[in-house]
Amino acid sequence: MTTEKPRQGFAGLWNISFGFFGIQIGFALQNANMSRIFQSLGESLDNLAVLWIAAPLTGLLVQPIIGHYSDRTWGRFGRRRPYFFAGAVLAALALIGMPNAPGLLAAAMLLWMLDASLNIAMEPFRAFVGDMLRKDQHTAGYALQTAFIGAGAVVGSATPYILDRFGVRNFQPGGGIPETVLWSFYLGGAALLASVLWTVLTTREYSPAELAAFEGHELGAHDVPPVPPASTIGGVVWIAAGLVLASIVAVLRLEKELYLLGGLVAFYGIARLAAGALYARGSRDNLLTNIVGDFSGMPPIMKRLALTQFFTWSALFIMWIYTTPVVAQYVYGSADPASEAYNQGGNWVGIMFAAYNFVAAIVAAFLLQPVARRFGKVRTHAAALAIGAASFLSFFVIRTPAMLLLAELGIGIAWASILAMPYAILASSLPQRKLGIYMGLFNVFVVVPQLLVATIMGTIMKHFFPTEPIWTMAFAAAVMALAAVSMLRVREDAVEG
């Protein structure tokens, strides 16, 4: 018999998503301070990008695997909770160890551990909201999760500054990690573990039998029919494409990071061949065949959302990389990283980024749900992305620091929708029994554009606009506008809930 999940009150919504507050503090500390830690340990500026590849690459590998296994887990501690609790413990240990790393190699290894642990904790949380809430509450659940993401980002980003204001030493005589960073990581680790533990202790997950009843059919905890992997020819084509890309990089002497993209393309082709061979031999319900099969057999609505995600995260990554040189040169009047004006611009960018996260938290908490209820999730998200595109274009006309906060207002509106609407749409439209793996695979379209931007955008700027970083904002506006247009391909009547 089909039954319906109980409606959650505000306390239930809070408990389900509160762990994300601590997870985002961890991400914010990582994003704001890892380059500082690497340089404090003696790494050169030119090699920072290579070390940072760990972050998107780890998410690309970890999230589908965790999604696959969390879909199939059930025990006395639940389905998703064991994963995000274990991830939180490992991430807290990495945060404590990071500022105490004895050298560059140890710091790089701890970055991999930290990012892997944060991804282990984060991925099940996306599916957890879908597990616990009725379809008509998905927007409210993901909006509140987004509010916690924004609040955690503000807290994590601002902690070193706040500690400095309270007299904690912001530099280390003779070099090394400042005490503000050291104590920020300690406090961040404690906050991460405490917030995730709050969710673990205040929520009770539905059993596989209950979830099956909610979905309207009987399905055992491990009875997840795999999608057959695609044809062998497809695997060969992907391998050939990867080799061709690597050859082009070698012949044209492009950025060496592009070899990674070629390798990933070829690796996916190899995975398809291996999954097809396993499936043909009768081994049809394993990690590889399920991940490859589900990726090649994504539902149509997920494919359309994937295109939007690709454009969206391309624009965001351009913003994160190039906002500082743009603001320093065009608002503070200096392109010299050693100048006082440039560093003043860098400090103001920190305020700008905190501002858009604050706006996102407010919009997600109070505006996103009623607007989506009135106009629909698809149109709400398309409009928010269009506002983000216009905000990027405003960098061409704004020349005062205070006015830049108006641009961040629009970016904050877009950011709130980016973190909530696609996941609310997916959770309402995908089969419950595969929500974890699909949420993990959806992350591919967050990671791949970051890798592309990190490799291709630098080459474009070097050859066409070597002294005019403002044009990066035009690229960001263009791809964000494409994201808004592509969102209109998602039919509102195909979105349930």
Side-chain angles (χ1 to χ4, degrees), residues 235-326:
V236 173
V237 170
W238 279 94
I239 293 172
L243 295 175
V244 169
L245 178 56
S247 300
I248 292 173
V249 174
V251 171
L252 299 181
R253 297 181 179 180
L254 301 177
E255 302 296 330
K256 59 182 181 295
E257 289 85 357
L258 281 169
Y259 283 116
L260 176 61
L261 291 176
L264 288 173
V265 170
F267 177 79
Y268 177 61
I270 294 170
R272 284 175 64 131
L273 292 179
L278 288 170
Y279 194 88
R281 293 175 187 173
S283 178
R284 301 185 174 186
D285 194 13
N286 56 71
L287 173 67
L288 187 60
T289 57
N290 274 274
I291 289 179
V292 172
D294 287 332
F295 186 76
S296 60
M298 288 185 296
I301 194 169
M302 187 171 169
K303 292 178 181 178
R304 292 189 175 97
L305 282 171
L307 182 63
T308 301
Q309 287 289 88
F310 180 85
F311 289 133
T312 298
W313 285 87
S314 296
L316 291 172
F317 209 56
I318 291 171
M319 175 187 74
W320 291 328
I321 293 174
Y322 292 104
T323 298
T324 293
V326 168

Side-chain angles (χ1 to χ4, degrees), residues 51-129:
L51 293 171
W52 269 101
I53 286 177
L57 188 60
T58 302
L60 182 66
L61 298 175
V62 168
Q63 289 208 26
I65 294 173
I66 296 300
H68 169 83
Y69 283 115
S70 72
D71 279 343
R72 295 155 171 265
T73 294
W74 180 255
R76 60 179 297 188
F77 298 111
R79 186 187 193 193
R80 315 289 184 188
R81 289 181 300 169
Y83 291 94
F84 51 70
F85 178 68
V89 171
L90 293 172
L93 292 174
L95 285 169
I96 292 170
M98 184 73 70
N100 294 299
L104 188 61
L105 178 60
M109 295 297 292
L110 283 166
L111 174 60
W112 279 81
M113 176 181 170
L114 175 61
D115 205 87
S117 302
L118 290 172
N119 276 284
I120 290 170
M122 179 179 71
E123 197 287 330
F125 255 107
R126 296 288 193 195
F128 186 60
V129 173

